[in-house]
Amino acid sequence: MRPLPGERGEWIDGFLFVANRPILDFLNTRPILADGPKELLPDVAALERWLIASGMANSAGIRGLLRSWRNSAEAAAFLRELIAFRERLRDAVLRIESGSAPAESFIREVNAKLLQYPSQTSLRRQGGRLVREKMFNARRPADFWAPIAEAAADLLADTDPSRIRKCESCVVHFFDTSKKGSRRWCSMNICGNKIKVAAYQRRKRDQQS
Ligand SMILES: [Zn+2]
């Protein structure tokens, strides 16, 4: 799980972005490394960096607001709530991966956040086509529930559950967008090669014995 050279694009500013769904990337901010679980969002400064890296802080205005919250107790309280939400989200994702439905209480929680922190949608030109862009009104730290709840709703309602999976070799979760639906690892660079090398060495050992 340590970044290796050549993994540009998977790691942004120390965070892993391999999940194809922003809410799963958020879930992956607490990976378990060789020496135990690692909290990648230990403080408000780290959260600020993650919100920028993930694209949720998608305007200069919002990034400016984030900077002004660095020493705010309100932002620290928001982070604590967000971390607790992340663990309830983990439970929901583990349930989906095992073929069952997320808990009713979790769906109610996401619904409450969607109602309390609504997003607006606008259309923007990107290349030759139009894309839908979500916007939200950020005045206080808790307003960041808007993109988080949107991303959670996207996972629960618009993402094929059979393609939500955990890496076979580590704790990273992802949405498999491969053509065949046969993705097994968080990343070829991080776990895929590790497994392939281990399998190769095992075969070689077996041949020699
Ligand atoms: Zn992995």
Side-chain angles (χ1 to χ4, degrees):
M1 286 272 324
R2 297 268 180 223
L4 300 166
E7 285 179 18
R8 261 202 313 272
E10 298 183 340
W11 293 89
I12 304 174
D13 200 10
F15 301 107
L16 193 57
F17 289 94
V18 292
N20 292 321
R21 281 293 178 274
I23 202 70
L24 293 177
D25 286 323
F26 170 63
L27 186 62
N28 292 334
T29 53
R30 188 172 173 271
I32 298 176
L33 307 176
D35 46 358
K38 178 152 174 61
E39 178 56 78
L40 298 181
L41 302 176
D43 50 38
V44 173
L47 176 64
E48 176 187 345
R49 285 174 31 240
W50 188 84
L51 288 169
I52 292 169
S54 70
M56 283 192 187
N58 57 4
S59 73
I62 290 178
R63 287 192 288 274
L65 262 180
L66 276 173
R67 268 195 300 280
S68 70
W69 293 336
R70 275 181 192 167
N71 298 309
S72 114
E74 207 181 327
F78 169 65
L79 174 61
R80 277 195 300 276
E81 274 185 48
L82 198 58
I83 294 290
F85 174 81
R86 188 185 60 192
E87 298 318 306
R88 293 191 290 278
L89 168 72
R90 192 180 311 280
D91 175 70
V93 168
L94 290 174
R95 280 171 188 246
I96 293 169
E97 286 169 351
S98 69
S100 50
E104 204 50 48
S105 58
F106 184 71
I107 294 168
R108 272 201 305 273
E109 181 178 10
V110 173
N111 265 339
K113 295 283 191 250
L114 286 168
L115 275 173
Q116 200 182 345
Y117 301 97
S119 301
Q120 291 103 43
T121 303
S122 74
L123 294 172
R124 188 171 58 81
R125 284 191 195 281
Q126 193 179 67
R129 62 194 195 101
L130 288 169
V131 292
R132 219 189 268 257
E133 195 168 64
K134 291 279 178 193
M135 296 180 315
F136 65 104
N137 203 353
R139 285 153 307 179
R140 313 174 62 174
D143 290 330
F144 273 92
W145 280 118
I148 294 282
E150 253 321 306
D154 178 60
L155 185 82
L156 295 172
D158 299 329
T159 304
D160 179 353
S162 72
R163 284 185 166 228
I164 299 172
R165 236 167 273 155
K166 190 180 85 63
C167 174
E168 284 185 15
S169 166
C170 74
V171 295
V172 165
H173 299 266
F174 58 83
F175 171 53
D176 180 2
T177 55
S178 70
K179 220 173 197 167
K180 288 185 182 163
S182 55
R183 178 173 165 191
R184 296 164 63 194
W185 299 299
C186 58
S187 144
M188 198 41 108
N189 290 322
I190 302 169
C191 285
N193 286 337
K194 197 167 70 192
I195 299 282
K196 286 197 163 168
V197 167
Y200 172 76
Q201 285 170 340
R202 216 171 20 247
R203 274 200 306 276
K204 231 176 132 184
R205 239 194 346 261
D206 291 349
Q207 280 163 10
Q208 282 164 355
S209 60

